[in-house]
Amino acid sequence: MTVKTRFAPSPTGFLHVGGARTALYSWLHAKNKGGEFVLRIEDTDLERSTQEAVDAILEGMTWMGLAWDEGPYYQTKRFDRYKEIIAQMLAEGTAYKCYCSKERVNELREAQEKAGEAARYDGKCRDLAPRDTDEPYVIRFKNPKEGNVEFDDHVRGHITFSNHELDDLIIQRTDGTPTYNFCVVVDDWDMGITDVVRGEDHINNTPRQINILKALNAPIPEYAHVAMILGDDGAKLSKRHGAVSVMQFRDEGYLPEALKNYLVRLGWSHGDQEIFSEQEMIEMFSLDAINKAPSAFNTEKLVWLNQHYIKTLDPEYVAEHLVWHMNNQNIDTTNGPALSDVITALAERAKTLVDLAASSRYFYEEYEEFDPTAAKKHLRPVAKEALVLVQQKLTETDDWSDESLHQVIQDTADQLEVGMGKVGMPLRVAITGASQSPSLDITLRLIGKERAIPRISRALEFIAAREAAQ
Ligand code: GLU
């Protein structure tokens, strides 16, 4: 049987990290088994579901690289199907119309609560003979009265619920709309879902859903209920913890590979391996190795992984992501070095793509002003001679390769009988505006001759102005 998993978000907000991790686990399990992954939008709550949230979820999934093989299905487009099943259940006697008023149900609940009992419908209409009336009604599932519902959860082990604890669930409201637990069941069945991976907040729904599946003679899927993600302060992850939407991680300069690697390890492990390529994740992933305990979000580790991927992924690929940040920081990359070359030069120092974009600005446009500390230290009258000479040599050469550029600096230092640093540091400040950059030959090569020569003049003017002011 083909393994088929699904991610079934309710479109009431963005794709948050908890949802993204559930989606990832579900996706990985399908891929690990050579199966299929379905995306289903659970939008039956018409008041809370929005198109913006649907778009945000699709955007988040796409950015994460979690491609779906089927869907997105929308529950609101399947109402006819739910109605059909409900009619069938009424005919077979596995569901019934309940005419109890809201007041009666409320009074019942209050009385039960007062008596310290769990609130549950008492089954008054369960065995009513069919009525010919236009009184309003809901439709309830006839939950078995006796016995247990049991299942082996891949994360939480063997779980038993007593049917005594479960009452007759409403599957269709008075207004004729189907309810959430019922739609999930019909969908999982119709879509051939073999493995349900979802948050553990759904664990109490599972026995109800299993009972309905049984009543429909539908196969029962396997279940894996994944624990919560907590903030680094131990509280349930929320907006308060900052980056909770997947797209916010994009905005903050993380690569999807880093977030994916981070999320796969957040609640799952394979020995003590920390870094997983996508292929390794797919090969090694197993639902049974998911942690039972909640996991705490750790931004430092995410940053560490991000640095790793910025350094090791193909620069051409990183460039596809960096371009978004360059645009976001208003850096026009049409005139200047290839982004992939800039990445190769700067990857070693960058923690995020936001940093990388910011520190690559001088390759594409003039710096606004010299960094005051760097200028004070390195653009002094003593540097004038070195700058003039190196500028002259750079103007003369057309070989703008790393080797040749290195040689120019070396020759300048030799000719002036000074150390390389005496030429290098003023030159660095001249061409980048600051005292930190990749090695000078690479920096010069990427900035290019047309930009580099005038920048040295700019530094010389700065020194002259400084001399004049003294
Ligand atoms: N729509 C549910 C949610 O967003 C998920 C239901 C499920 O996975 O069964 O929490």
Side-chain angles (χ1 to χ4, degrees):
M1 190 173 46
T2 314
V3 163
K4 224 169 165 191
T5 64
R6 81 318 191 261
F7 178 52
S10 305
T12 54
F14 44 64
L15 179 64
H16 56 81
V17 283
R21 186 184 60 165
T22 303
L24 175 63
Y25 286 4
S26 193
W27 183 86
L28 283 172
H29 182 61
K31 300 289 142 187
N32 174 268
K33 300 287 179 200
E36 281 168 13
F37 175 64
V38 175
L39 178 61
R40 178 169 85 219
I41 305 293
E42 303 204 319
D43 55 351
T44 49
D45 184 341
L46 300 175
E47 305 228 311
R48 294 179 60 225
S49 302
T50 65
Q51 186 58 43
E52 288 79 60
V54 172
D55 294 343
I57 290 165
L58 299 184
E59 186 186 26
M61 294 286 287
T62 305
W63 182 75
M64 290 275 290
L66 300 177
W68 48 95
D69 303 298
E70 263 183 46
Y73 293 112
Y74 292 85
Q75 288 188 324
T76 44
K77 298 211 174 116
R78 290 176 43 78
F79 278 0
D80 289 347
R81 176 63 179 155
Y82 306 137
K83 282 225 148 79
E84 186 185 335
I85 300 290
I86 287 177
Q88 179 192 323
M89 290 173 77
L90 283 174
E92 290 170 358
T94 52
Y96 63 92
K97 293 182 179 173
C98 168
Y99 298 93
C100 290
S101 64
K102 266 208 179 99
E103 292 70 36
R104 177 175 187 275
V105 175
N106 285 343
E107 280 165 21
L108 187 65
R109 183 183 338 107
E110 279 163 23
Q112 286 165 334
E113 278 168 4
K114 233 183 227 157
E117 294 165 18
R120 56 202 304 278
Y121 178 63
D122 60 358
K124 180 165 181 274
C125 297
R126 191 170 159 116
D127 297 312
L128 280 186
R131 288 190 195 180
D132 187 16
T133 156
D134 46 15
E135 277 173 80
Y137 61 86
V138 297
I139 298 177
R140 289 185 185 269
F141 171 61
K142 216 179 243 185
N143 197 76
K145 282 185 161 164
E146 308 297 329
N148 293 329
V149 196
E150 303 189 28
F151 61 100
D152 285 304
D153 189 275
H154 281 279
V155 182
R156 311 193 56 90
H158 192 75
I159 296 181
T160 306
F161 283 87
S162 160
N163 275 320
H164 286 294
E165 295 165 31
L166 309 171
D167 62 356
D168 290 349
L169 183 78
I170 296 177
I171 57 175
Q172 181 179 299
R173 300 182 191 89
T174 316
D175 65 5
T177 57
T179 59
Y180 170 71
N181 271 303
F182 176 73
C183 298
V184 170
V185 166
V186 177
D187 288 352
D188 284 343
W189 179 32
D190 280 353
M191 294 168 196
I193 302 303
T194 59
D195 296 78
V196 171
V197 181
R198 61 185 170 199
E200 72 177 1
D201 45 332
H202 286 286
I203 208 154
N204 289 331
N205 291 329
T206 306
R208 299 174 180 286
Q209 295 180 6
I210 290 178
N211 280 340
I212 303 176
L213 285 163
K214 282 186 183 158
L216 292 168
N217 279 322
I220 314 294
E222 305 265 317
Y223 292 94
H225 287 92
V226 184
M228 298 281 116
I229 301 180
L230 306 177
D232 37 20
D233 56 359
K236 197 176 162 207
L237 199 66
S238 70
K239 277 196 193 133
R240 201 159 44 78
H241 295 96
V244 286
S245 148
V246 162
M247 295 321 288
Q248 199 174 329
F249 288 96
R250 189 256 333 247
D251 297 353
E252 290 179 8
Y254 294 96
L255 282 166
E257 284 68 19
L259 187 61
K260 251 193 324 214
N261 194 148
Y262 180 72
L263 290 179
V264 80
R265 280 286 293 107
L266 188 68
W268 173 84
S269 55
H270 186 84
D272 49 17
Q273 187 168 336
E274 288 293 354
I275 291 174
F276 293 86
S277 68
E278 187 172 285
Q279 203 46 42
E280 284 175 319
M281 276 182 211
I282 291 174
E283 277 162 23
M284 295 170 180
F285 188 76
S286 126
L287 293 177
D288 294 316
I290 296 175
N291 250 336
K292 233 193 232 170
S295 338
F297 202 87
N298 176 341
T299 307
E300 254 171 57
K301 192 163 162 198
L302 174 61
V303 170
W304 177 75
L305 284 165
N306 203 42
Q307 275 178 298
H308 167 79
Y309 284 107
I310 291 175
K311 273 192 287 198
T312 56
L313 285 174
D314 179 0
E316 299 279 352
Y317 171 79
V318 178
E320 287 168 24
H321 289 276
L322 183 62
V323 118
W324 186 89
H325 292 279
M326 301 298 275
N327 292 336
N328 200 40
Q329 295 186 28
N330 286 320
I331 305 172
D332 178 5
T333 55
T334 47
N335 193 4
L339 262 189
S340 53
D341 290 340
V342 170
I343 291 164
T344 307
L346 293 176
E348 204 56 46
R349 296 157 192 264
K351 288 185 171 173
T352 68
L353 297 179
V354 172
D355 293 351
L356 217 159
S359 53
S360 71
R361 188 178 282 276
Y362 60 75
F363 292 119
Y364 298 96
E365 56 188 53
E366 296 309 305
Y367 46 83
E368 300 234 320
E369 56 182 25
F370 294 103
D371 170 70
T373 319
K376 190 162 179 227
K377 191 155 170 213
H378 301 293
L379 298 186
R380 287 184 296 160
V382 306
K384 209 159 68 176
E385 199 183 8
L387 283 175
V388 169
L389 190 59
V390 81
Q391 186 184 38
Q392 183 193 332
K393 289 187 188 296
L394 286 170
T395 309
E396 279 162 10
T397 181
D398 281 322
D399 182 356
W400 213 251
S401 66
D402 291 0
E403 301 71 34
S404 150
L405 292 165
H406 180 82
Q407 199 55 50
V408 166
I409 300 163
Q410 180 78 61
D411 289 350
T412 310
D414 289 351
Q415 199 173 323
L416 298 174
E417 293 178 358
V418 296
M420 286 275 273
K422 291 266 188 287
V423 183
M425 282 318 293
L427 179 58
R428 172 170 281 124
V429 179
I431 61 174
T432 69
S435 55
Q436 295 260 322
S437 82
S439 77
L440 264 180
D441 41 5
I442 296 176
T443 308
L444 273 170
R445 168 168 56 80
L446 293 177
I447 287 174
K449 191 168 178 174
E450 280 89 90
R451 281 197 170 100
I453 304 293
R455 286 186 193 177
I456 301 173
S457 303
R458 187 174 162 188
L460 286 167
E461 283 158 24
F462 179 89
I463 295 174
R466 191 167 164 176
E467 273 180 315
Q470 269 169 5

